[in-house]
Amino acid sequence: MSAAASTRLTDAELKAQEKAARKAEKERQKRIAADEAAERRRSARAGFANVSNPRRSTLMTVLCAIFAVYCLFPFVYLVINATKTQADFTSTFGLGFGKSFALWDNIVTVFTYQGGIFGRWLVNTLLYVVVGAGGATLPAIMGGYALAKFRFPGRKAVFAVIIGSISVPGIALAVPQFLLFAKLGLTNTPWAMIIPSLISPFGLYLMWIFSEQAVPTELLEAARVDGAYGASEFRTFWTISLPLLAPGIVTTALFTIVATWNNYFLPLIMLKDADWYPLTIGLNQWKDQASTAGGQAIQNLVITGSLITIIPLVIAFLCLQKYWQSGLAAGAVKE
């Protein structure tokens, strides 16, 4: 009897505890709702939106819309005018379509004009980007990681050199680079474009800062003590650190790719043979063709070629944006 009574008493106590817990949860939900309502009222008075408040700031919306139009306007201009013939390009409004839709004809003409030289320029640009930008990313990754995770004499001096290199504009180094490469006999060769692209001070600095935050020192110490990855620091870097550095690697690669793809002044002074031109110099040569004696105006081909030129960059950004966004957001949350 006493055991049964004890059991019934225990069940009653459990029910009472459950009832008290439900009551406490309801009170907590009420406090949360009251806090959210107060936050919505404060946000409404301030004119800004938050997670629970769908209101928008009219001023910020207008500014963002203006900025979006400013960024998209050149692209829209390219798309529209790439559909025109040369006659329509010179006789119709810049943001209006021509009398005929000639996009495909323009694309075919771009790749066949002057013996298909545009295809050669495209291959040259891809070569400079893959070898130059790819080669610049690897030293930036390894150098930035070493500077972030190892302590050695002269580390502060290296930091000063990197900051100084970033502060010097690339155009200021173009003429000294030309004189140096002329002495070495490397001008008018692909090496004149590839070798200067192999060094990226900004990429090194970016990977240095990213490695400081992305790779916990405690994790590396645990790997060294555990010995699961052997005694090699390179093995530890390859198996543990490199996956954590993926967002920073992609961000660095995108910066170097864009810088190499859009490089104009360096190939302008280094290259004289049109067979080694990148797209930037080649398209500029086409643009200036009409101003030469007996030259033919081909602005429609220049516009179409420019549209084709940006497609690889757009594809690269679309494919790598998730890694890039995660890299930009790294460290934004306090742990």
Side-chain angles (χ1 to χ4, degrees), residues 269-310:
I269 66 174
M270 289 287 190
L271 304 176
K272 299 301 179 185
D273 187 356
D275 288 339
W276 290 116
Y277 281 172
L279 288 169
T280 51
I281 302 300
L283 290 175
N284 185 70
Q285 186 187 61
W286 279 4
K287 178 184 70 67
D288 295 337
Q289 180 175 304
S291 60
T292 60
Q296 178 186 4
I298 51 171
Q299 287 93 339
N300 63 320
L301 300 187
V302 175
I303 292 294
T304 306
S306 300
L307 179 61
I308 296 172
T309 299
I310 67 174

Side-chain angles (χ1 to χ4, degrees), residues 31-326:
R31 289 195 300 270
I32 292 175
D35 292 341
E36 290 179 349
E39 180 63 25
R40 284 194 294 269
R41 288 193 295 269
R42 286 193 296 269
S43 299
R45 289 194 297 269
F48 292 97
N50 58 56
V51 175
S52 302
N53 180 20
R55 289 174 59 87
R56 296 290 187 272
S57 169
T58 303
L59 177 60
M60 293 302 298
T61 302
V62 172
L63 290 177
C64 289
I66 294 174
F67 184 72
V69 171
Y70 172 79
C71 293
L72 293 176
F73 181 82
F75 181 75
V76 174
Y77 179 85
L78 280 179
V79 172
I80 293 176
N81 286 275
T83 64
K84 298 180 181 180
T85 62
Q86 178 61 29
D88 289 339
F89 182 84
T90 56
S91 62
T92 58
F93 178 60
L95 294 179
F97 288 94
K99 299 177 182 178
S100 59
F101 189 83
L103 177 60
W104 178 249
D105 293 337
N106 287 340
I107 293 175
V108 173
T109 307
V110 163
F111 282 98
T112 57
Y113 188 72
Q114 290 184 345
I117 191 66
F118 182 86
R120 177 63 184 266
W121 294 339
L122 179 60
V123 172
N124 292 342
T125 304
L126 292 175
L127 172 66
Y128 302 150
V129 167
V130 171
V131 180
T137 303
L138 182 59
I141 297 168
M142 303 184 71
Y145 173 80
L147 290 167
K149 294 305 174 183
F150 296 96
R151 299 297 181 264
F152 53 89
R155 184 170 175 269
K156 292 184 178 179
V158 173
F159 177 78
V161 171
I162 293 174
I163 296 299
S165 301
I166 295 174
S167 63
V168 176
I171 193 171
L173 301 176
V175 174
Q177 285 176 348
F178 172 77
L179 297 176
L180 176 61
F181 278 72
K183 289 287 186 180
L184 297 175
L186 295 178
T187 55
N188 204 31
T189 67
W191 297 110
M193 286 293 299
I194 293 174
I195 294 177
S197 302
L198 293 176
I199 304 300
S200 175
F202 178 75
L204 178 60
Y205 177 75
L206 181 64
M207 287 306 304
W208 183 351
I209 300 303
F210 189 85
S211 299
E212 285 275 8
Q213 303 296 326
V215 182
T217 304
E218 296 79 5
L219 181 62
L220 298 179
E221 292 176 351
R224 291 163 185 156
V225 172
D226 182 65
Y229 297 97
S232 172
E233 288 290 343
F234 182 79
R235 179 79 181 275
T236 303
F237 165 76
W238 186 262
T239 55
I240 295 179
S241 302
L242 199 62
L244 298 176
L245 296 175
I249 293 171
V250 172
T251 304
T252 303
L254 284 175
F255 277 117
T256 54
I257 287 171
V258 172
T260 306
W261 193 276
N262 294 332
N263 198 351
Y264 176 78
F265 191 72
L266 183 64
L268 179 65
I269 66 174
M270 289 287 190
L271 304 176
K272 299 301 179 185
D273 187 356
D275 288 339
W276 290 116
Y277 281 172
L279 288 169
T280 51
I281 302 300
L283 290 175
N284 185 70
Q285 186 187 61
W286 279 4
K287 178 184 70 67
D288 295 337
Q289 180 175 304
S291 60
T292 60
Q296 178 186 4
I298 51 171
Q299 287 93 339
N300 63 320
L301 300 187
V302 175
I303 292 294
T304 306
S306 300
L307 179 61
I308 296 172
T309 299
I310 67 174
I311 291 177
L313 290 180
V314 172
I315 293 174
F317 270 89
L318 292 178
C319 294
L320 301 176
Q321 64 175 341
K322 61 178 182 179
Y323 301 103
W324 191 35
Q325 291 171 354
S326 62

Side-chain angles (χ1 to χ4, degrees), residues 23-38:
K23 183 178 180 181
E25 180 63 21
K26 288 182 180 179
E27 292 177 353
R28 190 180 71 86
Q29 294 294 338
K30 288 181 180 179
R31 289 195 300 270
I32 292 175
D35 292 341
E36 290 179 349

